[in-house]
Amino acid sequence: MIDVEMWDVCIADVPYEDLPESKVRPILIVERGAFVIECLKLTGQPPRAGEYVLKMWREAGLHKPTTVRIGKKLKLEINRVRKRVGRLDPVDMIGIGKLIEPGP
């Protein structure tokens, strides 16, 4: 199992919402449990209303400008994480922290 924590940027096997398939994509971990993580999808697409564009994306281990899809938190089994690529800069931690609601 890969050792990850909050604010880590990882590559994970993320299931589609409406299909029985999955896609390997970057994610941002926002909460870590023993077997499940809460995360947000990362994308190279332009931001929609309420989304966050990383200011320090290179420092987080990403290869291009990246948008954080704030609207939907995903819950994934920890074994879906394939690798850790980096960690958010504190500037982005603060920016995203202002936009996400704490978990239950």
Side-chain angles (χ1 to χ4, degrees):
M1 181 164 36
I2 296 172
D3 187 29
V4 294
E5 57 187 54
M6 185 173 179
W7 304 122
D8 281 349
V9 176
C10 299
I11 302 297
D13 187 31
V14 179
Y16 287 105
E17 294 177 27
D18 53 354
L19 297 172
E21 300 167 6
S22 61
K23 176 182 180 179
V24 175
R25 66 175 304 137
I27 60 165
L28 172 65
I29 297 177
V30 293
E31 191 172 316
R32 187 195 191 290
F35 302 104
V36 176
I37 57 168
E38 268 193 33
C39 59
L40 300 169
K41 293 179 187 177
L42 302 178
T43 181
Q45 298 297 312
R48 301 173 189 157
E51 295 182 336
Y52 182 85
V53 177
L54 292 177
K55 293 171 179 39
M56 310 296 278
W57 53 271
R58 282 187 191 96
E59 293 78 357
L62 297 161
H63 302 293
K64 61 183 177 180
T66 302
T67 299
V68 181
R69 299 277 192 229
I70 301 288
K72 279 191 182 175
K73 286 184 186 174
L74 302 172
K75 289 191 179 193
L76 296 177
E77 297 87 16
I78 192 78
N79 63 359
R80 288 189 170 269
V81 176
R82 293 194 174 184
K83 71 178 181 177
R84 180 184 177 277
V85 297
R87 184 166 178 79
L88 284 192
D89 184 271
V91 167
D92 289 317
M93 290 177 192
I94 292 167
I96 292 169
K98 291 177 180 177
L99 297 174
I100 60 175
E101 297 176 7

